[in-house]
Amino acid sequence: MSLQAQIMDEIKTAMKAKDTVALESLRAIKSELLLAATSGSGEALSADDEIKLLQRLVKTRKESARIFTEQNRPDLAEPELAQVAVIEKFLPAQLSEEEVEAVVAKIIAETGASGIASMGKVMGLASAQLGGTAEGKTISTIVKKLLS
């Protein structure tokens, strides 16, 4: 089942349950998918593009929640975090830091990378291999740690 079909089914379920947070989150996903599909490239979205789109939505909401929390506005941060939980249901399971570290260590061993100058090469390979299963920030932190 495609992501758009899943989203439509979930929207119907959220409407029936009168779950406004889920409904708002799902409508945001649907909107982003439609914008990406009609961006003019003429190509359908691949699964990787859909995952990147969902990750971007999660990242912006987490950042908003962090800012609201810093400004002592938990009333605004809570809905953002609730939306993150809804959106994350459509993402693949995230790897733990230990699992990411194991994959990055393997890549470093295979490429023979040493020093921070090799970070770009390792990051490219790690991002391609880990895809949507780890955040870029987590990968970057682990690569820096292992190369320095």
Side-chain angles (χ1 to χ4, degrees):
M1 179 183 289
S2 74
L3 180 61
Q4 283 191 315
Q6 279 182 302
I7 297 297
M8 291 305 297
D9 287 345
E10 291 290 325
I11 286 175
K12 289 174 191 173
T13 305
M15 286 176 144
K16 289 177 183 174
K18 298 187 186 327
D19 186 352
T20 57
V21 173
L23 191 57
E24 188 177 329
S25 305
L26 294 167
R27 284 182 173 157
I29 296 170
K30 181 181 174 190
S31 171
E32 287 294 322
L33 286 171
L34 286 174
L35 284 172
T38 59
S39 65
S41 64
E43 297 177 13
L45 286 175
S46 68
D48 287 340
D49 292 337
E50 290 173 345
I51 289 172
K52 287 177 186 173
L53 185 137
L54 291 173
Q55 285 177 325
R56 190 176 71 238
L57 289 173
V58 167
K59 182 179 178 183
T60 58
R61 278 162 179 73
K62 282 183 178 178
E63 181 66 19
S64 296
R66 184 188 62 78
I67 290 169
F68 290 142
T69 303
E70 285 174 1
Q71 295 177 348
N72 202 22
R73 295 294 310 264
D75 57 316
L76 296 175
E78 288 174 19
E80 294 290 328
L81 294 174
Q83 285 188 19
V84 166
V86 172
I87 296 169
E88 284 180 336
K89 288 194 298 187
F90 299 100
L91 286 171
Q94 298 293 299
L95 296 176
S96 69
E97 285 194 22
E98 292 80 25
E99 293 169 321
V100 173
E101 192 168 334
V103 171
V104 170
K106 181 181 168 197
I107 291 171
I108 290 172
E110 288 174 356
T111 60
S114 62
I116 204 77
S118 306
M119 185 172 173
K121 180 168 71 170
V122 174
M123 276 297 297
L125 293 169
S127 296
Q129 190 171 346
L130 294 170
T133 59
E135 286 184 359
K137 186 176 182 180
T138 305
I139 297 170
S140 173
T141 305
I142 291 172
V143 169
K144 280 181 189 173
K145 183 176 90 174
L146 293 177
L147 287 177
S148 57

